[in-house]
Amino acid sequence: VTSRPPAPTPAAPPPPRRTPPRPRRRRAPPAPLSGPAPAAAGAGRGAPPGPPRAAAVPCFGISVDPDDILPGALRLIRELRPLWKPERVRTKRFTDGITNKLVACYVEEDMRDCVLVRVYGERTELLVDRESEVRNFQLLRAHGCAPKLYCTFQNGLCYEYMRGVALGPEHIREPRLFRLIALEMAKIHTIHANGSLPKPTLWHKIHSYFALVKNEINPSLSADVPEVGVLERELAWLKEHLPQLDSPVVFCHNDLLCKNIIYDSSKGHVRFIDYEYAGYNYQAFDIGNHFNEFAGVNEVDYSRYPARETQLQWLRYYLQAQKGAAVAPREVERLYVQVNKFALASHFLWALWALIQSQFSTIDFDFLRYAVIRLNQYFKVKPQVSALEMPK
């Protein structure tokens, strides 16, 4: 999401508003996080099946000023790293994110021990369940898929820096890398929380976002955004058609944009970061959402959406990792149809998200333009995607 692809190619022109180069959407820490998360200890003898019980995470009654992060960050460091001499603590601000604010604190040049302090963005509690985020963080950590979570505080959290390179759109289309991404997603999709499969989060999220758009943002919608009645009909259409595809409900990342993928070349693997939207969802949504991210975020270009052959190879890697065996072409084709249909729901969800951000975020960024680009793409691809048929 950093390399600058060609200018956006939406079906209709975006609104003629301020259009700075798009920084990253959503709140993935823009920089790599710390080394691959070591696998957690087992659940112990006699423990029930499932992940080990997560240790309680310290919660500090500290509020960090989002407009002046450093004093609050250094207070947290005194709690988390009492042996660090305050005068030796170095800090590095990451300016890529457009919702949360992030600063790294460390004392050694190589950043071997580095604490990331993330301060939540303005009104993001409308979009993110923060308690659920912490639970998901710990769950993924227990399975060796996430860095250490050091603490929470009143308006943020601190966690381990993960070494590696945050990928861009030019990377995730390389077969050697997208194979690793497919393998990691297959691994996360096998995680079970509490041994039960709750309902997919998709409909709850879309309905709550839609209610905010309808009730709080509607009067200020731009002429480039379809009327609320049109959006309501599309939501009803999605809810009628997508569940019929019988996509399995699995534990999903739900926000796998490029910058949320960290590649560690020394270990030869990728890890995913930023778990704000993680939770049970349709398997095909998680993959379709990732395929939409091939277009990038800084400058959105849907000519980068993966071609059918690329998708089939990606899906083959995914299914083989999941099954541990060869897969029939019909299985790959079936997942291909599900994924491309659920990619419509991804466009719809992030368009609503961006409309809400356009109203509440204090960051100087053209969320409205991003919403229009996602909605344009939704309406552009809907006819051809609707025509896809499941293999007999």
Side-chain angles (χ1 to χ4, degrees), residues 301-330:
D301 175 13
Y302 285 108
S303 71
R304 289 171 170 256
Y305 188 77
R308 176 180 158 84
E309 280 313 308
T310 301
Q311 289 193 46
L312 293 177
Q313 183 59 63
W314 197 107
L315 297 171
R316 215 171 285 121
Y317 285 141
Y318 170 88
L319 287 169
Q320 285 170 353
Q322 210 174 47
K323 297 188 145 213
V327 290
R330 185 179 168 279

Side-chain angles (χ1 to χ4, degrees), residues 11 13 21 64 79 131 165 169 181 220 230 288 297 342 375-376 392:
V64 176
E79 300 284 349
E131 287 184 15
V165 177
I181 294 165
S220 57
V230 173
V297 175
F342 270 94
L375 287 170
N376 284 343
K392 295 288 183 281

Side-chain angles (χ1 to χ4, degrees), residues 57-283:
V57 175
C59 178
F60 297 116
I62 292 173
S63 182
V64 176
D65 181 351
D67 297 318
D68 187 19
I69 292 179
L70 291 184
L74 292 172
R75 280 181 67 198
L76 289 161
I77 292 301
R78 280 202 294 275
E79 300 284 349
L80 296 170
R81 296 291 184 272
L83 298 181
W84 285 6
K85 292 187 171 66
E87 66 276 9
R88 290 195 61 218
V89 175
R90 305 178 186 198
T91 58
K92 178 181 177 183
R93 281 287 300 273
F94 296 120
T95 56
D96 228 5
I98 59 168
T99 307
N100 299 313
K101 299 191 176 178
L102 190 70
V103 63
C105 301
Y106 56 99
V107 290
E108 302 296 337
E109 189 70 51
D110 62 6
M111 296 173 75
R112 191 163 298 281
D113 183 14
C114 175
V115 177
L116 291 178
V117 179
R118 191 172 82 191
V119 181
Y120 299 145
E122 191 76 24
R123 303 293 299 276
T124 50
E125 70 280 358
L126 294 170
L127 301 162
V128 177
D129 177 341
R130 295 298 181 187
E131 287 184 15
S132 175
E133 177 188 13
V134 170
R135 283 196 305 272
N136 293 332
F137 207 126
Q138 292 177 287
L139 179 66
L140 287 161
R141 169 69 186 166
H143 287 271
C145 298
K148 291 175 188 166
L149 178 61
Y150 294 133
C151 76
T152 62
F153 52 96
Q154 284 179 358
N155 60 330
L157 41 80
C158 298
Y159 52 100
E160 180 186 21
Y161 176 87
M162 193 179 280
R163 292 175 181 280
V165 177
L167 299 183
E170 71 279 16
H171 302 124
I172 62 171
R173 58 196 314 108
E174 291 179 29
R176 71 184 180 90
L177 289 176
F178 76 57
R179 176 179 164 273
L180 297 177
I181 294 165
L183 298 187
E184 183 70 2
M185 189 181 282
K187 179 181 176 183
I188 285 175
H189 284 180
T190 63
I191 290 175
H192 294 282
N194 307 325
S196 64
L197 283 184
K199 286 191 298 193
T201 184
L202 178 63
W203 305 119
H204 170 73
K205 271 267 191 274
I206 284 189
H207 278 290
S208 63
Y209 289 5
F210 179 75
L212 280 167
V213 168
K214 183 177 180 179
N215 301 325
E216 300 203 32
I217 298 167
N218 189 21
S220 57
L221 283 185
S222 147
D224 297 285
V225 177
E227 292 177 359
V228 164
V230 173
L231 296 177
E232 199 152 22
R233 284 195 295 276
E234 291 304 320
L235 174 49
W237 184 89
L238 289 166
K239 200 164 181 188
E240 179 189 350
H241 287 87
L242 296 186
Q244 295 176 21
L245 299 170
D246 292 328
S247 179
V249 175
V250 296
F251 192 81
C252 293
H253 183 281
N254 290 320
D255 187 22
L256 204 57
L257 48 86
C258 303
K259 282 296 182 189
N260 281 346
I261 305 168
I262 305 300
Y263 172 55
D264 185 337
S265 56
S266 67
K267 302 284 194 303
H269 68 203
V270 297
R271 290 288 181 265
F272 303 158
I273 57 173
D274 189 359
Y275 318 114
E276 289 174 300
Y277 299 96
Y280 282 103
N281 211 349
Y282 298 103
Q283 171 196 58

Side-chain angles (χ1 to χ4, degrees), residues 13-19 222-224 366 368-369 372:
R17 298 168 67 83
R18 54 194 175 88
T19 52
S222 147
D224 297 285
D366 205 336
L368 181 58
R369 177 173 178 262
V372 169

